[in-house]
Amino acid sequence: MKKKILFIMSSLRSGGAERSLVNLLCLFDFKKYDVDLLLFQQEGFFLTQLPDEVKLISDCEDLHVLYENSLNKIFSFKHPILSIMHVICTIISKAAAGGGSKSRQYRWKKFYKNKIKEIKRHYDIGIAYMHCEPVYFLADKVNADIKIGWIHNDYSQIAHDKNMDLEYFKKIDKIISISDICVEVLKKTFPSQADKIYMLPNLTSSQAVHKLADEFMPEVFNTKKIKLLSVGRLEEQKGFDIAVKAAAILKKRGVDFIWIVLGSGRLKKELENQIKLSSLEDHFFLAGTKKNPYPFMKNADIIVQTSRFEGKSVVIDEAKILAKPIVVTRYPTVYDQIDENEGIITELNAQSVADGIESMLINKQKYIDWISKRNYGNQDEINKYYEIFKGSNI
């Protein structure tokens, strides 16, 4: 008989973890598994990329009301009490815990845990594919024989209440992270849970990436200027404030370029103001989220990543598949994914990023030649996932 799996995720908006989940599901063997997907928010560009075999659970309106971000949508639901509770509990939690992840932890523990309904269906495997509330939901609200939680970032950079996470990690069977360094950090932080922590890489199909990359030519790249590209959420973690400062330095040096950023997020207005103050309106563009970013990646001259921290960047994996020159900042886990034969690793400041870009413009063919001789797709590693799903160690 087929195994029944439930995946739990916050949404399928733009983001490395979201893209990683879709990549995984597109490689899945649906002859062996029935797959349900529960999203806290049923939205996102990647929804249309889900395989037809994945069943999206839609009968959890209490959960969807309590995790809706838009005030207009919150009060469009037919649950006014839940809508009011969502607004009040969110305000109280931010005041009590200071905002960020800790406020979401507080809100779950003090309010949502006792209000959100359990999933009635039994599963062989339950998987929370994102840290924080998806893991708490898995532990408290899902009936599954094996429960697995994913941590997609360097845990030392996540401002969490570690005691609360430990309480929930004790309730699940396996904890997965996406790089060796991320696993080491988790084991040091939670030594009592070390024997249940494993590394599984994000999966990327080289064939799929190349196919999608050939779908169209972005009009914005119909220029003789140097084309720089960054992809990521407009959040502090991704360091786009550093990217704008680096762009200002390049402009002063007379470099003729455009720098496109694909992604959306809460820092959009702040970044737009920074772009305007730096007189970069003709050079630096926030292009929003794209359903298919790969033609942009293929036709860029350089992929630039200015992150302050990462677990393991899906964008870098995809850039290597497309044999693109890469400039990336030296965040703690960067050497888990790239070495200095594959790209230029800079310090985490605008001057160093600008220097790295200029150096890459001179030497990019050397990096292209190195990367293009290697096969970076890792779709075959899905077998390691199946071993974990069976309850085996790897």
Side-chain angles (χ1 to χ4, degrees):
M1 293 180 62
K2 288 185 180 181
K3 295 280 188 180
K4 296 179 176 63
I5 299 184
L6 173 67
F7 282 90
I8 304 160
M9 188 64 167
S10 51
S11 74
L12 285 180
R13 296 194 193 99
S14 61
E18 291 85 345
R19 202 177 328 171
S20 171
L21 175 57
V22 172
N23 288 346
L24 169 59
L25 292 174
C26 286
L27 293 168
F28 234 68
D29 185 352
F30 293 104
K31 294 178 181 178
K32 296 180 180 178
Y33 298 96
D34 281 328
V35 177
D36 289 353
L37 173 61
L38 174 64
L39 299 174
F40 285 17
Q41 298 169 330
Q42 287 190 297
E43 60 187 45
F45 279 104
F46 295 126
L47 274 172
T48 58
Q49 297 179 24
L50 288 173
D52 293 338
E53 293 89 346
V54 176
K55 179 185 176 184
L56 197 61
I57 295 179
S58 57
D59 59 348
C60 295
E61 195 164 13
D62 58 334
L63 181 72
H64 297 148
V65 173
L66 292 173
Y67 279 94
E68 178 54 59
N69 286 331
S70 164
L71 278 175
N72 291 332
K73 289 184 180 179
I74 289 170
F75 289 101
S76 69
F77 287 102
K78 297 177 182 179
H79 298 280
I81 294 175
L82 277 180
S83 299
I84 293 169
M85 176 185 172
H86 172 30
V87 174
I88 293 174
C89 292
T90 299
I91 293 171
I92 292 172
S93 299
K94 286 181 178 179
S101 296
K102 286 185 179 179
S103 68
R104 298 200 305 273
Q105 290 180 291
Y106 183 95
R107 187 176 62 180
W108 179 271
K109 190 170 186 178
K110 298 294 184 180
F111 303 112
Y112 284 7
K113 177 180 176 179
N114 295 322
K115 192 64 181 178
I116 292 173
K117 298 174 184 175
E118 294 182 4
I119 298 291
K120 294 180 180 179
R121 184 179 181 184
H122 170 266
Y123 290 92
D124 297 292
I125 307 154
I127 298 171
Y129 206 72
M130 181 70 82
H131 59 269
C132 205
E133 293 123 310
V135 170
Y136 309 154
F137 184 92
L138 172 66
D140 289 335
K141 303 297 177 181
V142 175
N143 177 13
D145 295 333
I146 299 173
K147 296 186 178 183
I148 305 171
W150 244 262
I151 311 294
H152 280 271
N153 261 318
D154 175 352
Y155 190 87
S156 67
Q157 303 295 323
I158 303 173
H160 273 205
D161 179 340
K162 295 178 176 62
N163 290 327
M164 181 170 170
D165 276 342
L166 176 59
E167 173 188 339
Y168 276 92
F169 289 166
K170 289 178 179 178
K171 296 179 181 180
I172 63 178
D173 300 290
K174 295 182 186 295
I175 303 163
I176 309 297
S177 198
I178 57 177
S179 77
D180 292 330
I181 292 176
C182 288
V183 165
E184 288 175 16
V185 168
L186 282 168
K187 288 183 176 181
K188 288 179 182 178
T189 308
F190 302 101
S192 66
Q193 305 301 298
D195 62 348
K196 65 168 69 170
I197 299 173
Y198 300 88
M199 195 283 283
L200 284 176
N202 290 323
L203 296 180
T204 308
S205 167
S206 55
Q207 183 178 2
V209 169
H210 281 292
K211 181 179 178 182
L212 289 166
D214 289 332
E215 281 195 349
F216 60 89
M217 170 66 183
E219 289 185 16
V220 70
F221 282 171
N222 186 19
T223 176
K224 294 182 179 179
K225 294 183 178 183
I226 295 160
K227 298 174 279 292
L228 309 178
L229 180 74
S230 298
V231 183
R233 291 172 288 106
L234 306 185
E235 304 286 347
E236 185 179 3
Q237 173 190 347
K238 301 299 181 180
F240 291 128
D241 55 319
I242 297 171
V244 176
K245 292 175 184 176
I249 293 170
L250 292 174
K251 181 184 175 184
K252 287 181 181 178
R253 293 177 180 175
V255 180
D256 192 18
F257 70 96
I258 59 170
W259 193 329
I260 306 297
V261 175
L262 303 184
S264 58
R266 61 185 179 86
L267 295 184
K268 181 180 179 182
K269 288 185 178 179
E270 185 176 319
L271 290 169
E272 286 175 339
N273 288 336
Q274 187 183 354
I275 291 164
K276 186 175 181 180
L277 288 171
S278 301
S279 300
L280 289 169
E281 294 95 333
D282 295 330
H283 294 274
F284 202 100
F285 303 94
L286 304 179
T289 304
K290 303 297 180 184
K291 289 183 179 180
N292 181 4
Y294 302 112
F296 292 85
M297 296 178 73
K298 178 181 178 180
N299 291 284
D301 293 305
I302 302 173
I303 305 298
V304 186
Q305 181 158 319
T306 54
S307 296
R308 290 181 164 89
F309 66 93
E310 291 283 345
K312 198 169 186 182
S313 168
V314 174
V315 174
I316 288 182
D317 284 342
E318 294 165 341
K320 289 193 294 185
I321 286 172
L322 292 170
K324 304 307 298 184
I326 301 163
V327 174
V328 59
T329 46
R330 197 186 310 275
Y331 50 81
T333 62
V334 70
Y335 288 106
D336 257 3
Q337 191 165 16
I338 191 169
D339 62 38
E340 291 177 347
N341 290 312
E342 297 170 318
I344 292 176
I345 300 171
T346 76
E347 300 306 320
L348 189 59
N349 62 70
Q351 183 78 41
S352 185
V353 171
D355 291 345
I357 290 169
E358 284 203 289
S359 178
M360 181 59 80
L361 290 173
I362 297 169
N363 300 297
K364 66 178 184 177
Q365 193 59 48
K366 176 181 72 172
Y367 294 96
I368 293 171
D369 291 344
W370 177 277
I371 296 172
S372 61
K373 293 175 183 177
R374 285 153 180 82
N375 179 16
Y376 288 103
N378 66 343
Q379 53 268 27
D380 293 340
E381 295 206 40
I382 194 170
N383 292 316
K384 293 182 179 178
Y385 283 67
Y386 295 148
E387 290 299 312
I388 286 288
F389 296 165
K390 289 192 296 185
S392 305
N393 296 334
I394 56 172

